Amino acid sequence: MASGGGNYRNVTHRNSLKGTTTTTAAAAAATDRPLPVNSNPSKPALKNKSLSTVGGASSGPRKSCPGSLGGGGTSKDDAGVPGRVRVAVRLRPCNAEESVADADFADCVELQPEFKRLKLRKNNWDTDTYEFDEVLTEFASQKRVYEVVAKPIVESVLDGYNGTVMAYGQTGTGKTYTLGRLGEEDTADRGIIVRAMEDILADVSLETDSVSVSYLQLYMESLQDLLDPTNDNISIVEDPKSGDVSLPGATLVEIRDQQSFLELLRLGEAHRYAANTRLNTESSRSHALLMVHVKRSVNGRDLDHSSQNGNTTNMAKTLRPTLVRKAKLVVVDLAGSERIDKSGSEGHTLEEAKSINLSLSALGKCINALAENSAHVPVRDSKLTRLLRDSFGGTARTSLVITIGPSPRHRGETASTIMFGQRAMKVENMLKLKEEFDYKSLARKLDIQIDHLIMEHERKQKAFEDEIERLTMYAQNQISEAEQNYANAMEKERLKYQKEYMESIKKLEEKWMMNQQKQGERKDQMASAAEEVAELKRLHNKEISLRKAAEEEVNNLKSQITQLKKSEAYLASANSEVLKLQKMLEDEAYRKEKLEGEISTLQTQLLRLSFESDDTRRRFDLGGPRKVPGSLESLISQARPQVNDLGNEEKSSIANLFEQVGLQKILSLIEAEDADVQVHAVKVVANLAAEESNQQKIVEAGGLKSLLALLGSSKDETIHRVAAGAIANLAMNETNQELIISEGGINLLSMTAANAQDPQTLRMVAGAIANLCGNDKFQNKLRGEGGIKALLGMVKCGHPDVLAQVARGIANFAKCESRASTQGNKTGRSLLIEDGALLWIVQNAINEASPIRRHIELALCHLAQHEVNAKDMITGGALWELVRISRDCSREDIKNLAHRTLTSSPTFLAELRRQRIDY
């Protein structure tokens, strides 16, 4: 019986041919420019239709497609550049299981890489030959795969074109290994995702450019965010005009360095769904999509409208918006296609496989329609095709790598994968350069420049006013000083001349007195007087010349005052220049308001387009059992011969009985007093419960409660066996598991196991408990109500079928514990170890029965992943079993898981060194 989806998944990373795998869409580009790409030079440049448009004429079958994934033509077109989808095929080497099972058979494929050909064997003497853009053998390195498949796409993304790298193939053929390998142990094993991000970060400038990442998974037609597990229903929004797809609800993380990107990949991988199947122990159950958004500023571009005659001013250069290129790289790790009869999927895993196959089938239909230029492309049949509408027939440059295995047992799947690739090679995309003007950045730049101009104007205005005040004060001081100096000089001259005059008068008086006394010398006195008069005239003339010099100095001072007045006039003209600057600032403010109005208009148009898109999507998105009358007793009498030997009857007889009698009447017979009727009714319900389509009806009609009540009330072991089998079938559904737990089903199953003697009854009970062990929510409940002890108690039976179910339940329980510990929801030792299950696990690790041994080996690996269990496992001898599994296990995936667990545990490594074991 299959357990629920998600069991046996390593929550850290995968290590066979798989690696760790890790959105908001960019705005529509304002300008589209062509880029030289690898179009097919032998064909004319014809634009093929996208997933939502009608194409041209159909093309013939393709057997040969020249060119490689990195080469091609360079034709240009106004609407875009035609570029065919490039397809490479990669062959996975034989694993250990295939080497043993296919030892007597030749591989179904033969590669001729030098001719880029692949031969598919139809039988021992007939083959079909196909040609691809690149043929990669099992010896091709990860570096070569990246260079021929993804590097041209990454370079186009850095040049502003959308790009897609996608892996398609059967489950277990190495898709995740090719795309998402982290290369933690060996850098040469790095996959396409890690190498692409290294090239992107090396080429962009983190100062002017930005790189952001979204990591999603499409699980059961539900788009979920791997970086935020609570966001599990992301809507897809499509632009009705451009057809662009955006995911507004997805987490978008900006990447600054490679280490932070690797941490995001590990976080996303821990939340991705996987399950254990016959073909792959860790088979991906969802499609993973990594979206890398690259935004780059284009420097050194002269816009046509900026300058017509070469007279571009500084203001025009300032108003020129920055040219931005926005591109998106989408890396798609598709879940593997599988056939149910080969993968052995059951229960919830079967539903997952159906969903995967349906989405891949929808993608194949779209590829066929595009390859044949059909008038209708069924893009809305699946969310996967809606997400990839730009990758096939759209505007993205697309590279597809198809992975195949060599085993002849899977020739049909290999042929289907090859034909998918051949049809994809006929699809042509029209590549468009995504460029737009960064008006928001221009507005911010203008705001900063205006603030700078205002501050500069205020600073100059203040300096101008300070200079005027300084010159005014200086002029006033100069005038005051000149006036004071003039007054002092005039007063000093007056006093000097007055003193000289008085002295002269005194001398004259003295001389006159003397002349009066010397009348005798009158003539001499008259001559002397004449000389004195002459001297006075000379002195008078000197005084007149000094007065003229003083007047000239006064005139000079007046001319200086005139010059100061002229400087005031110059300051007035400078003030008028300032007024002109103010007017220029007002004009700048007006232009800013005009730009803000244009930006507001653009935002309003974007909002209207968003409303129209939502309205269009709503228009695109726009009915219990019959009762057949009849006698119950007559129908039961007719049905008894049928239910006496249910094991040999066809399912159609049960279905006819169900339609004729009705579910309620069958359930009412469970409580009948006739033991035979009761047994037959329980068997009918058990057979109905085996069909998933009937389970919900049985539960809603109270059938599950009635079956649980029979376990507690009936003493008939046959009823116990059949009822337990029906409960085990119903326990595959999570909702039914909760009902079983709430109705005390664990206690009832435990009591049934304690009282049962028939191995088949024990097998049914163990299967029901094992299904409950696969639910993370009921770990403590299972242990508290005795479910784990009941499982361990059933090993006394010794029957291989019972032991296989016990081992499966323990492996499910250990897997859930390991996941809870990794997510931080559980601390302390394992409940299995506390209940003494480790001894039985170690004793049965080398059981001869393959199903028992496989589950035990997986349980040991999951227990060992939690470091707190290491000491108990060393004491209980589990360490040596882990070493044996890592060396001798026949299954390569379990062998690698054991090796990775040992090398990541410090306690195990220390014990191995202490025991002097070289590992």
Side-chain angles (χ1 to χ4, degrees):
M1 299 180 184
S3 60
N7 293 333
Y8 309 135
R9 169 164 172 75
N10 186 347
V11 295
T12 57
H13 62 279
R14 306 179 210 169
N15 194 30
S16 63
L17 273 178
K18 287 178 162 263
T20 304
T21 57
T22 351
T23 195
T24 307
T31 61
D32 292 339
R33 299 188 179 183
L35 169 77
V37 295
N38 55 336
S39 61
N40 190 352
S42 64
K43 299 179 67 176
L46 297 176
K47 180 177 179 182
N48 197 15
K49 63 180 186 298
S50 68
L51 289 176
S52 60
T53 60
V54 179
S58 62
S59 60
R62 180 189 299 273
K63 281 287 182 175
S64 175
C65 297
S68 66
L69 287 171
T74 60
S75 62
K76 292 186 178 181
D77 189 271
D78 292 338
V81 179
R84 176 175 59 77
V85 175
R86 319 303 287 178
V87 181
V89 59
R90 189 181 192 186
L91 177 64
R92 172 182 59 76
C94 290
N95 55 35
E97 183 181 352
E98 290 174 347
S99 297
V100 175
D102 301 334
D104 298 332
F105 301 94
D107 292 347
C108 68
V109 293
E110 177 186 350
L111 303 184
Q112 295 178 336
E114 63 277 10
F115 301 114
K116 298 181 181 180
R117 291 177 183 170
L118 178 149
K119 290 186 176 182
L120 179 64
R121 299 181 186 275
K122 299 172 66 176
N123 45 50
N124 291 334
W125 55 87
D126 193 10
T127 61
D128 288 333
T129 302
Y130 303 92
E131 292 188 6
F132 290 93
D133 294 300
E134 194 67 40
V135 175
L136 302 168
T137 68
E138 63 269 35
F139 306 108
S141 65
Q142 291 282 75
K143 180 180 179 181
R144 169 161 174 75
V145 173
Y146 169 73
E147 288 179 346
V148 302
V149 174
K151 190 169 183 177
I153 305 300
V154 175
E155 292 174 349
S156 294
V157 171
L158 291 172
D159 288 338
Y161 293 81
N162 289 343
T164 301
V165 178
M166 186 172 72
Y168 178 92
Q170 182 189 11
T171 181
T173 55
K175 297 181 297 302
T176 305
Y177 176 85
T178 300
L179 294 179
R181 185 76 167 182
L182 291 183
E184 294 174 322
E185 299 176 357
D186 186 357
T187 57
D189 287 342
R190 292 169 299 163
I192 287 176
I193 291 175
V194 178
R195 294 177 185 267
M197 184 55 70
E198 288 176 352
D199 284 357
I200 291 173
L201 292 177
D203 193 76
V204 301
S205 172
L206 296 180
E207 296 179 356
T208 59
D209 305 336
S210 67
V211 180
S212 54
V213 169
S214 294
Y215 196 14
L216 313 166
Q217 70 172 351
L218 183 61
Y219 175 71
M220 302 281 286
E221 282 302 299
S222 173
L223 192 57
Q224 303 176 3
D225 197 331
L226 290 174
L227 303 182
D228 183 9
T230 59
N231 191 5
D232 58 358
N233 190 16
I234 300 175
S235 60
I236 302 174
V237 179
E238 300 177 10
D239 192 325
K241 292 186 176 180
S242 65
D244 291 340
V245 177
S246 61
L247 307 172
T251 302
L252 193 63
V253 180
E254 185 171 358
I255 302 299
R256 306 293 294 180
D257 53 68
Q258 185 72 6
Q259 186 60 35
S260 62
F261 177 65
L262 293 177
E263 293 297 330
L264 284 180
L265 291 183
R266 295 189 187 98
L267 175 62
E269 178 61 18
H271 298 126
R272 192 174 175 192
Y273 286 93
N276 177 22
T277 67
R278 294 176 185 171
L279 299 178
N280 193 350
T281 57
E282 294 184 4
S283 175
S284 300
R285 314 311 289 170
S286 64
H287 307 298
L289 295 92
L290 177 72
M291 297 186 177
V292 183
H293 301 269
V294 180
K295 179 180 178 182
R296 307 190 70 185
S297 298
V298 181
N299 298 323
R301 287 285 186 89
D302 291 332
L303 302 180
D304 296 335
H305 61 78
S306 64
S307 175
Q308 297 296 332
N309 299 317
N311 298 324
T312 306
T313 64
N314 292 331
M315 187 62 66
K317 292 181 179 179
T318 302
L319 294 176
R320 181 183 303 163
T322 303
L323 189 62
V324 176
R325 287 180 177 174
K326 294 182 179 181
K328 176 174 66 176
L329 172 63
V330 181
V331 183
V332 186
D333 182 11
L334 294 175
S337 60
E338 61 182 62
R339 293 187 178 179
I340 307 305
D341 57 343
K342 292 185 178 181
S343 64
S345 299
E346 299 178 352
H348 188 69
T349 309
L350 176 60
E351 293 303 313
E352 293 174 337
K354 292 179 180 178
S355 177
I356 292 170
N357 290 339
L358 282 174
S359 61
L360 293 178
S361 176
L363 177 60
K365 291 179 181 178
C366 291
I367 297 294
N368 291 344
L370 288 170
E372 298 172 358
N373 289 322
S374 174
H376 171 68
V377 181
V379 64
R380 295 193 169 274
D381 289 358
S382 172
K383 289 186 177 180
L384 178 62
T385 55
R386 293 177 64 191
L387 290 169
L388 297 179
R389 66 185 303 169
D390 192 45
S391 302
F392 291 96
T395 63
R397 185 177 184 180
T398 301
S399 182
L400 170 66
V401 55
I402 61 173
T403 59
I404 61 175
S407 176
R409 292 180 298 164
H410 305 305
R411 185 195 174 281
E413 292 83 348
T414 301
S416 176
T417 302
I418 291 173
M419 294 310 299
F420 179 89
Q422 290 286 295
R423 288 188 291 269
M425 291 174 68
K426 301 177 184 178
V427 178
E428 283 196 6
N429 298 344
M430 294 302 295
L431 311 186
K432 289 187 179 181
L433 183 64
K434 307 296 181 181
E435 290 183 345
E436 65 180 19
F437 292 116
D438 193 353
Y439 289 104
K440 293 183 179 179
S441 176
L442 175 61
R444 290 194 299 268
K445 184 177 179 180
L446 288 175
D447 287 338
I448 294 173
Q449 188 169 359
I450 289 172
D451 292 340
H452 176 73
L453 289 174
I454 291 174
M455 292 174 61
E456 184 69 15
H457 167 70
E458 292 177 350
R459 184 184 66 80
K460 290 184 177 180
Q461 181 72 16
K462 184 67 168 59
F464 174 73
E465 292 174 355
D466 291 345
E467 183 66 16
I468 290 176
E469 184 178 357
R470 185 187 69 80
L471 291 175
T472 303
M473 293 296 297
Y474 176 76
Q476 291 177 354
N477 291 335
Q478 288 291 100
I479 292 171
S480 299
E481 185 179 355
E483 290 177 349
Q484 185 65 34
N485 291 337
Y486 175 73
N488 291 336
M490 291 298 291
E491 182 66 23
K492 186 176 181 179
E493 289 293 326
R494 188 185 67 79
L495 291 174
K496 178 181 176 182
Y497 292 140
Q498 185 177 4
K499 183 179 178 180
E500 290 179 352
Y501 179 75
M502 292 304 294
E503 289 177 351
S504 299
I505 293 298
K506 187 176 179 180
K507 288 179 180 179
L508 286 172
E509 287 179 349
E510 290 177 351
K511 289 181 178 180
W512 186 80
M513 290 299 293
M514 290 176 68
N515 287 327
Q516 286 295 331
Q517 292 176 0
K518 298 178 177 179
Q519 292 179 358
E521 300 176 356
R522 189 178 181 99
K523 291 181 179 179
D524 294 336
Q525 292 176 351
M526 287 298 291
S528 176
E531 291 178 357
E532 291 292 334
V533 170
E535 183 68 18
L536 287 174
K537 287 182 179 181
R538 186 183 65 79
L539 293 173
H540 179 68
N541 291 331
K542 184 178 180 181
E543 182 178 358
I544 291 174
S545 64
L546 290 174
R547 183 180 293 277
K548 289 181 179 179
E551 288 177 354
E552 290 178 358
E553 186 175 356
V554 169
N555 291 330
N556 290 333
L557 291 173
K558 288 182 178 180
S559 66
Q560 291 181 6
I561 292 173
T562 303
Q563 292 293 331
L564 290 174
K565 290 181 178 180
K566 290 181 178 180
S567 66
E568 290 179 356
Y570 170 75
L571 293 175
S573 65
N575 193 16
S576 66
E577 189 70 24
V578 171
L579 293 176
K580 292 180 180 179
L581 290 175
Q582 288 178 342
K583 189 174 184 307
M584 291 177 65
L585 289 174
E586 291 175 356
D587 293 339
E588 287 292 331
Y590 172 74
R591 281 193 289 268
K592 176 185 175 184
E593 292 177 356
K594 186 176 180 181
L595 283 174
E596 288 177 345
E598 292 177 356
I599 292 172
S600 177
T601 302
L602 290 173
Q603 290 175 345
T604 303
Q605 293 176 355
L606 287 174
L607 184 60
R608 179 175 59 79
L609 289 174
S610 176
F611 285 150
E612 292 176 356
S613 175
D614 291 339
D615 185 60
T616 303
R617 178 173 57 82
R618 286 194 296 269
R619 289 200 299 269
F620 275 117
D621 290 336
L622 306 183
R626 295 180 301 168
K627 293 186 178 180
V628 179
S631 174
L632 174 62
E633 293 75 17
S634 63
L635 289 173
I636 291 297
S637 63
Q638 295 174 7
R640 286 209 179 194
Q642 298 175 345
V643 298
N644 286 333
D645 192 11
L646 283 173
N648 298 324
E649 293 294 326
E650 296 292 332
K651 292 183 178 180
S652 59
S653 63
I654 300 297
N656 292 334
L657 181 62
F658 172 71
E659 293 177 356
Q660 293 173 359
V661 178
L663 182 59
Q664 291 291 346
K665 293 182 180 181
I666 295 175
L667 292 177
S668 65
L669 294 177
I670 294 177
E671 300 175 1
E673 295 180 357
D674 188 341
D676 291 338
V677 174
Q678 193 177 34
V679 169
H680 294 321
V682 174
K683 288 183 177 180
V684 171
V685 174
N687 279 279
L688 291 172
E691 296 292 331
E692 188 173 353
S693 59
N694 299 327
Q695 291 181 0
Q696 185 178 358
K697 298 177 181 179
I698 294 174
V699 174
E700 290 175 351
L704 179 55
K705 293 183 179 180
S706 299
L707 292 170
L708 290 171
L710 277 178
L711 292 181
S713 61
S714 177
K715 304 298 182 181
D716 191 331
E717 189 162 348
T718 301
I719 292 178
H720 287 171
R721 180 178 70 254
V722 180
I727 294 171
N729 287 333
L730 295 173
M732 295 179 184
N733 181 279
E734 185 175 351
T735 304
N736 298 342
Q737 291 175 356
E738 294 177 357
L739 181 59
I740 293 172
I741 296 294
S742 63
E743 293 296 325
I746 298 176
N747 285 326
L748 292 171
L749 290 169
S750 299
M751 288 188 299
T752 303
N755 297 328
Q757 300 296 328
D758 182 16
Q760 294 305 316
T761 303
L762 293 173
R763 180 175 71 86
M764 296 297 181
V765 174
I769 297 178
N771 287 340
L772 295 174
C773 287
N775 195 314
D776 296 348
K777 303 176 183 178
F778 307 135
Q779 299 289 295
N780 294 325
K781 195 83 171 180
L782 277 165
R783 190 215 183 184
E785 295 185 10
I788 302 303
K789 289 185 178 179
L791 269 180
L792 296 175
M794 284 185 277
V795 303
K796 298 176 182 179
C797 172
H799 195 278
D801 292 341
V802 178
L803 297 181
Q805 293 300 323
V806 173
R808 183 171 70 85
I810 290 175
N812 284 349
F813 196 94
K815 174 63 178 180
C816 292
E817 277 194 330
S818 175
R819 180 163 52 237
S821 299
T822 303
Q823 295 174 353
N825 298 328
K826 182 187 182 303
T827 57
R829 294 194 308 161
S830 169
L831 300 179
L832 292 172
I833 295 178
E834 290 182 359
D835 283 349
L838 184 60
L839 177 60
W840 183 84
I841 293 174
V842 173
Q843 290 175 350
N844 286 270
I846 57 174
N847 195 292
E848 295 180 355
S850 175
I852 301 174
R853 184 174 67 255
R854 175 168 62 88
H855 289 306
I856 293 300
E857 288 172 348
L858 284 171
L860 280 172
C861 291
H862 291 314
L863 288 174
Q865 286 178 345
H866 196 29
E867 190 67 17
V868 75
N869 299 329
K871 292 183 178 180
D872 292 314
M873 296 187 71
I874 292 173
T875 305
L879 174 59
W880 316 119
E881 292 301 328
L882 281 172
V883 173
R884 178 193 60 78
I885 294 170
S886 69
R887 293 176 176 174
D888 303 328
C889 182
S890 61
R891 290 187 54 162
E892 195 69 19
D893 51 342
I894 300 177
K895 180 179 178 179
N896 291 335
L897 179 60
H899 174 75
R900 187 170 66 249
T901 302
L902 286 171
T903 55
S904 63
S905 171
T907 305
F908 287 151
L909 291 175
E911 179 64 16
L912 291 172
R913 286 193 297 268
R914 189 182 71 82
Q915 296 290 341
R916 298 181 180 179
I917 296 176
D918 185 13
Y919 192 82

